[in-house]
Amino acid sequence: MPERQTVQTLCRMCDDRCAINVYLEDGKIVDIDGYKDHPWNRGRLCVKARAAVDMVYHPERLLKPLKKTKKGFEEIPLEQALDEIAERLSTVKEKYGARSVSIWKGEAIGFAQEEEMARRFVHALGSPNYFSNDSMCYNGRYFGYRLVEGSWPVPDYESSRCVVLWGANPPHAHPNMTQMIMRARKAGAKLVVVDPRMSAIARQADLHAALKPGTDGALALGLIQQLIETQMFDREFVENYTVGFDELAGYAKAFSPEAVEGETGVPAALVREIARTMAGAAPRVTVYVGNGPEHHENGINNIRAVACLDAILGALDREGGNRLVDGFQGAHLTLYDEIPLEHLGPIGADRFPVLYGFRQECHTMTGMDTILSGKPYPLRAMILTAANPAMTNPNTLKVRKALESLDLFVVRDLFMTETTELADYVLPAASFLERVELHTHAKYQTVTMTRKILEYPDVQDEYQFWHDLSHRLGFGKYFPWKDETELTSWILESADLSLEQAAAHPEGIEYAPIRYERWKSETLGTPSGKVEFRSQYLEDLGYPALPEYKPPAYLDAPDPDYPYVLITGARKLLYYHSRFRNIKRFRTAIPGPEAELHPRDAAALGVADGEEIRITSRIGSLEVPVKIMSKSEILPGTLQLTHGWKEANANLLTHDDRFDPISGFPLMKAVEVRLEKVEKV
Amino acid sequence: MRIVAVDPTSCVACRNCEYACAFKQTGDFDTKASNIRVNFYPEERVCIPWTCVHCGEGWCMEICPAGAILRNPETGAVEIDAKRCAGCKMCLLACPTGSIHFDKVELVSKKCDLCGGDPSCVKFCTSGALQFVEEDEAYSFRRESLDAKLIRLFGLTKRGS
């Protein structure tokens, strides 16, 4: 028997970052299971985690740099690849200016220090153009809550008496959240799920509001109206710690339960019952907003309306409510203070000032237009790490055209993807089991260090890549650390911690004790320091001050040529965006894409389970087999297609020119489409 | 002994348990190979996970003409010895909970063996609907649920300690 070693680290097959035991024999990873002593997942895992073993040793893994030549991709030595990339970046920079160079950071390296490295690199190079996956995920909710509460709070599920999941499906999207919600239920909490679909979590909901896609704001304002009208709100909180209550109350008056029913399809009696349930549990009410409400043209104001509920119920930063959290006080790597570059016109900052103002992010969809048009200035080079926008950004055909036309396109990934195909250079990237990094679990206010467990000779981790490139380009002073371990040590020391301590605590180190009700003694992160039902900041930028509701286009101005409503992007347990389609056993379980259809619509189209339909939007068309759902699982007239399938890429259908005006998020969850049965000859 | 206790009030039919079990048996995710099954009834919004409870006097053991079904002395699990199984399927008929299935390729009956005392289905259950617990207190979480409600209803928590 070979000797078995165990190393504890965090899983990064999705962003839940559950603690795992990695088992090695003769230096090779042979198994993974849950690490029981971390409070986050308590030893439980989803089956993606074990598949990391398959991922890191996958026969298709990229292990050598590739260069595109006339004959296709050819392997070249790492040093040569870095030399050539540096030279070609310099050429673009000299010819068009530093701002013609951009970075795109993908979801696969997460949101911690590796994101900051990418931001640091592009700023050190002199360009403000940092793009990321956050153009379509997370930012929308962050903005909605930050505008109202000054930050995005964390649900204190276990102490809650009422858990509201709004357009979120944890069992598939954040598997580990599921056990926390179920613990709350076991202690008597009610579960309310707001979702057009009967998602996995809705299977256990006490109350399920199957609203029409994009009508979230109407329902939230309806709940606000009920709570105020029936005097079931926290008067003391509202009077002392909020601004704009009277205006919000006045605006919400029109959203009676009957009016809400007319707009959302949620029965008036259910609207009343949800309001009563929340009020009865207050202040121990947690509301978690998922990705669902973000992908709509009125997404941010809809989310703002939901966010207002915390203060109205007095649930903000209370035990069992939505908690504000302290961040880890380790040093940051961004250079926004040291090298401000806003004057160079970050892409999209003029049209979406909140996006740049809150997050120093550029707008990926505007980025594609800029590459193609050269306006307002040329954007000619991009280094993209850990993303696959040729599959996951809206309007795939345009994304491909834009990325292909760059003077220099460098992509780092573990595998060849639809995006690496477009690159001039493809560099092999390190998986999460090949990197050292600090991660925080805000809910517990702990910091945990991930461990480097294996390495391949020509596969660089994120830090080494930016380090080597910056030194070649003459700004190595911004990347002075020898390697990622030295950098991690430096960050830890800035928070009075050490590598040794971090290594000794795979269960995480609490960096600040949990506390509540900080609004009593501290100002919140909003301009007024209070909860803002009305936002002067938004009004000054030309947006409505209140979280106004606008009906989705398919309701407001129905297009008879495109009578169905397509929801895209509901996640499946086994796949993470476009990842893991190459894990063989995942394909056994979920072999391919399916359009999830209501039986009434299937009957109208004359299509049987497994037969194909053609879905056509104003952007494009695709063919896909149908899965006929139970009549309670999806609304009639509405269908769902999960993204990330090359066999039926949902983003051939999605719009890249219809946005939420505040966040710039694209419309992806209420796309007007036409359906036809594909007749097989 | 410890058993896999199931809680239909927490299960969301995510199928992690079925995948984890199938993987343990075959290295693949064909859930037909799983020894735990989850039934989902969409119209009623009901999810019921179920696997063998390792009966004290297992009818499968009694009926098996080959004497292939035996209790593991260490874990208490009722296990099928594939080498002795004749493939007669009598155990499928005898099991009152339908917890045994027939492997059409290997031509033997298959059931839960508690993974030798560390059941994979429980480790990969993200909702907490599956717990690996001592049989005498397998459903004590029901009392704990009741306690939580009573504590809240009567305000039983006392201040200061």
Side-chain angles (χ1 to χ4, degrees):
Chain A
M1 260 303 259
E3 201 184 325
R4 195 171 248 235
Q5 253 186 296
T6 311
V7 182
Q8 279 91 31
T9 188
L10 300 178
C11 176
R12 188 62 184 57
M13 297 295 273
C14 84
D15 199 46
D16 260 8
R17 294 165 300 144
C18 295
I20 53 175
N21 295 305
V22 179
Y23 300 99
L24 297 111
E25 285 175 4
D26 296 332
K28 195 168 156 59
I29 299 172
V30 293
D31 202 3
I32 288 174
D33 67 6
Y35 174 53
K36 288 194 168 67
D37 290 339
H38 201 293
W40 176 248
N41 56 310
R42 307 185 185 192
R44 289 180 186 267
L45 288 180
C46 86
V47 293
K48 284 198 288 301
R50 172 61 180 73
V53 183
D54 305 73
M55 184 184 78
V56 298
Y57 297 124
H58 200 289
E60 290 165 10
R61 229 178 119 189
L62 293 171
L63 297 173
K64 297 276 181 203
L66 301 175
K67 177 184 181 177
K68 191 179 271 169
T69 68
K70 288 198 178 70
K71 289 178 282 176
F73 282 112
E74 284 182 2
E75 283 186 8
I76 59 168
L78 177 64
E79 294 300 313
Q80 183 193 336
L82 292 168
D83 287 343
E84 289 184 19
I85 291 165
E87 196 186 315
R88 288 177 64 175
L89 274 176
S90 299
T91 306
V92 171
K93 188 178 165 183
E94 274 164 36
K95 195 166 169 192
Y96 300 106
R99 65 182 181 172
S100 64
V101 177
S102 61
I103 303 294
W104 185 315
K105 189 279 311 179
E107 204 287 334
I109 54 164
F111 308 91
Q113 77 196 46
E114 288 170 4
E115 169 177 329
E116 294 197 351
M117 283 173 206
R119 289 174 177 267
R120 183 178 185 87
F121 177 88
V122 74
H123 255 238
L125 182 140
S127 171
N129 289 320
Y130 166 81
F131 296 99
S132 91
N133 54 300
D134 288 341
S135 277
M136 300 198 307
C137 190
Y138 165 78
N139 269 348
R141 288 164 280 170
Y142 171 74
F143 293 171
Y145 274 90
R146 177 161 160 189
L147 286 160
V148 176
E149 301 179 344
S151 63
W152 190 15
V154 169
D156 186 16
Y157 288 124
E158 280 95 333
S159 306
S160 179
R161 289 179 199 164
C162 175
V163 174
V164 182
L165 293 170
W166 203 300
N169 184 26
H172 292 178
H174 290 284
N176 189 54
M177 227 184 244
T178 316
Q179 60 170 311
M180 301 175 191
I181 295 162
M182 293 309 159
R183 274 198 292 276
R185 287 193 79 232
K186 278 196 176 136
K190 295 284 186 217
L191 175 61
V192 179
V193 173
V194 179
D195 200 311
R197 302 181 312 131
M198 189 218 289
S199 60
I201 197 70
R203 292 166 184 166
Q204 287 295 352
D206 297 287
L207 303 173
H208 174 209
L211 82 180
K212 294 178 197 163
T215 63
D216 308 80
L219 178 59
L221 288 158
L223 295 172
I224 292 169
Q225 186 274 348
Q226 271 298 287
L227 293 166
I228 295 173
E229 187 186 283
T230 57
Q231 303 284 316
M232 294 189 293
F233 67 99
D234 188 331
R235 190 175 296 277
E236 199 229 327
F237 189 97
V238 162
E239 278 174 9
N240 291 299
Y241 307 110
T242 70
V243 295
F245 179 70
D246 291 340
E247 275 171 89
L248 177 69
Y251 180 72
K253 265 206 180 100
F255 294 84
S256 69
E258 286 69 25
V260 171
E261 177 173 339
E263 185 63 26
T264 66
V266 178
L270 182 54
V271 177
R272 289 192 171 89
E273 194 176 352
I274 294 172
R276 264 201 311 276
T277 303
M278 291 174 86
R284 289 176 183 258
V285 180
T286 60
V287 182
Y288 178 77
V289 176
N291 194 221
E294 291 183 321
H295 291 155
H296 290 285
E297 288 173 280
N298 197 51
I300 301 306
N301 275 338
N302 289 350
I303 294 166
R304 283 175 71 206
V306 178
C308 291
L309 288 163
D310 290 347
I312 286 168
L313 293 160
L316 179 62
D317 207 26
R318 279 215 165 99
E319 193 175 0
N322 272 2
R323 273 184 45 225
L324 299 169
V325 292
D326 297 308
F328 176 55
Q329 290 304 311
H332 289 283
L333 300 174
T334 54
L335 297 169
Y336 296 109
D337 297 330
E338 296 84 344
I339 313 175
L341 295 175
E342 199 173 351
H343 62 283
L344 293 179
I347 299 293
D350 47 351
R351 186 167 175 195
F352 305 108
V354 179
L355 176 63
Y356 193 81
F358 279 10
R359 292 278 301 162
Q360 290 79 43
E361 292 231 13
C362 298
H363 188 246
T364 56
M365 284 125 306
T366 306
M368 297 304 101
D369 288 331
T370 304
I371 292 170
L372 290 170
S373 69
K375 292 186 176 115
Y377 55 81
L379 189 62
R380 300 309 315 155
M382 179 180 285
I383 300 173
L384 178 147
T385 180
N388 188 11
M391 178 60 73
T392 54
N393 250 51
N395 196 351
T396 299
L397 295 183
K398 192 203 275 183
V399 173
R400 289 184 61 93
K401 205 171 143 199
L403 296 178
E404 236 166 7
S405 75
L406 288 163
D407 292 355
L408 175 64
F409 185 35
V410 179
V411 179
R412 289 170 52 77
D413 208 310
L414 305 189
F415 299 101
M416 289 302 281
T417 68
E418 291 70 21
T419 302
T420 60
E421 300 289 350
L422 311 173
D424 299 301
Y425 294 89
V426 181
L427 298 176
S431 76
F432 72 93
L433 295 169
E434 298 149 49
R435 312 192 295 245
V436 176
E437 195 185 7
L438 298 174
H439 285 273
T440 59
H441 289 91
K443 180 172 159 45
Y444 297 99
Q445 300 193 168
T446 56
V447 60
T448 310
M449 184 170 73
T450 62
R451 314 298 294 267
K452 181 176 195 153
I453 296 172
L454 77 157
E455 68 184 321
Y456 291 103
D458 291 324
V459 177
Q460 293 186 303
D461 57 56
E462 294 301 303
Y463 179 74
Q464 206 61 49
F465 170 68
W466 299 122
H467 170 274
D468 288 7
L469 205 52
S470 66
H471 283 263
R472 280 174 170 76
L473 288 165
F475 53 89
K477 66 171 180 174
Y478 290 107
F479 292 83
W481 306 279
K482 176 168 69 72
D483 55 25
E484 59 175 5
T485 302
E486 202 178 287
L487 167 64
T488 303
S489 172
W490 177 78
I491 296 173
L492 281 164
E493 278 163 28
S494 71
D496 295 324
L497 291 167
S498 67
L499 276 178
E500 292 68 31
Q501 279 173 294
H505 292 282
E507 76 286 8
I509 299 171
E510 186 185 80
Y511 56 77
I514 306 272
R515 59 204 181 96
Y516 303 99
E517 300 183 358
R518 61 199 78 193
W519 30 261
K520 273 188 178 161
S521 53
E522 294 167 32
T523 56
L524 302 180
T526 54
S528 66
K530 294 184 174 190
V531 172
E532 296 194 350
F533 296 131
R534 88 178 296 288
S535 167
Q536 192 57 47
Y537 166 75
L538 283 183
E539 194 173 58
D540 291 346
L541 289 170
Y543 299 109
L546 290 172
E548 290 180 9
Y549 173 69
K550 283 201 182 76
Y554 74 89
L555 287 178
D556 199 33
D559 185 339
D561 293 337
Y562 300 92
Y564 287 89
V565 182
L566 171 69
I567 302 171
T568 71
R571 284 231 286 271
K572 302 293 175 203
L573 169 69
L574 301 178
Y575 300 115
Y576 197 48
H577 305 303
S578 67
R579 271 172 265 167
F580 311 144
R581 298 305 193 288
N582 59 359
I583 305 279
K584 203 168 145 277
R585 62 181 177 273
F586 288 10
R587 286 284 189 149
T588 302
I590 306 179
E594 294 169 324
E596 296 159 14
L597 207 58
H598 190 275
R600 198 194 73 183
D601 299 329
L605 293 162
V607 62
D609 208 43
E611 288 187 329
E612 287 198 356
I613 54 167
R614 182 175 304 110
I615 310 178
T616 308
S617 73
R618 288 209 178 269
I619 298 295
S621 177
L622 59 79
E623 291 173 9
V624 61
V626 301
K627 178 172 174 57
I628 302 177
M629 308 302 286
S630 149
K631 66 182 190 312
S632 55
E633 288 182 286
I634 194 159
L635 293 174
T638 301
L639 69 160
Q640 197 286 124
L641 178 62
T642 297
H643 60 309
W645 291 103
K646 71 167 186 271
E647 296 87 342
N649 168 11
N651 287 313
L652 290 168
L653 304 169
T654 50
H655 298 260
D656 67 335
D657 56 355
R658 292 168 69 185
F659 305 122
D660 177 274
I662 301 173
S663 65
F665 269 43
L667 171 69
M668 300 182 94
K669 289 194 163 52
V671 181
E672 302 88 339
V673 294
R674 180 170 73 227
L675 305 180
E676 303 150 274
K677 181 176 177 178
V678 176
E679 300 292 350
K680 292 278 174 195
V681 277
Chain B
M1 72 170 287
R2 296 211 284 167
I3 62 164
V4 176
V6 302
D7 177 11
T9 69
S10 292
C11 178
V12 292
C14 64
R15 313 214 175 267
N16 269 295
C17 58
E18 292 180 347
Y19 295 141
C21 183
F23 177 68
K24 186 97 179 188
Q25 313 306 323
T26 65
D28 202 352
F29 273 5
D30 182 347
T31 54
K32 285 196 195 77
S34 175
N35 293 321
I36 185 166
R37 301 293 174 91
V38 181
N39 288 341
F40 169 50
Y41 302 92
E43 300 302 324
E44 294 84 3
R45 277 209 285 134
V46 169
C47 310
I48 301 180
W50 189 260
T51 186
C52 174
V53 284
H54 306 275
C55 305
E57 289 176 34
W59 294 356
C60 57
M61 289 196 280
E62 282 190 32
I63 204 89
C64 179
I69 308 185
L70 300 163
R71 190 173 296 279
N72 180 316
E74 277 173 39
T75 62
V78 174
E79 296 176 0
I80 298 175
D81 181 347
K83 288 197 281 296
R84 297 178 70 171
C85 175
C88 73
K89 299 177 271 290
M90 292 292 281
C91 54
L92 275 72
L93 172 67
C95 177
T97 65
S99 300
I100 306 179
H101 68 275
F102 190 68
D103 185 320
K104 286 199 286 189
V105 177
E106 293 178 38
L107 302 177
V108 291
S109 292
K110 293 278 178 77
K111 69 176 292 300
C112 168
D113 61 359
L114 295 177
C115 297
D118 188 19
S120 205
C121 56
V122 176
K123 290 162 71 168
F124 289 90
C125 169
T126 56
S127 71
L130 305 180
Q131 309 270 350
F132 189 48
V133 284
E134 284 297 332
E135 57 186 349
D136 54 340
E137 290 290 343
Y139 289 89
S140 61
F141 67 83
R142 287 262 178 264
R143 288 200 302 275
E144 286 154 22
S145 278
L146 177 68
D147 291 351
K149 286 171 197 169
L150 289 173
I151 288 165
R152 201 166 63 236
L153 197 60
F154 296 110
L156 296 176
T157 305
K158 292 167 191 71
R159 285 174 194 284
S161 55

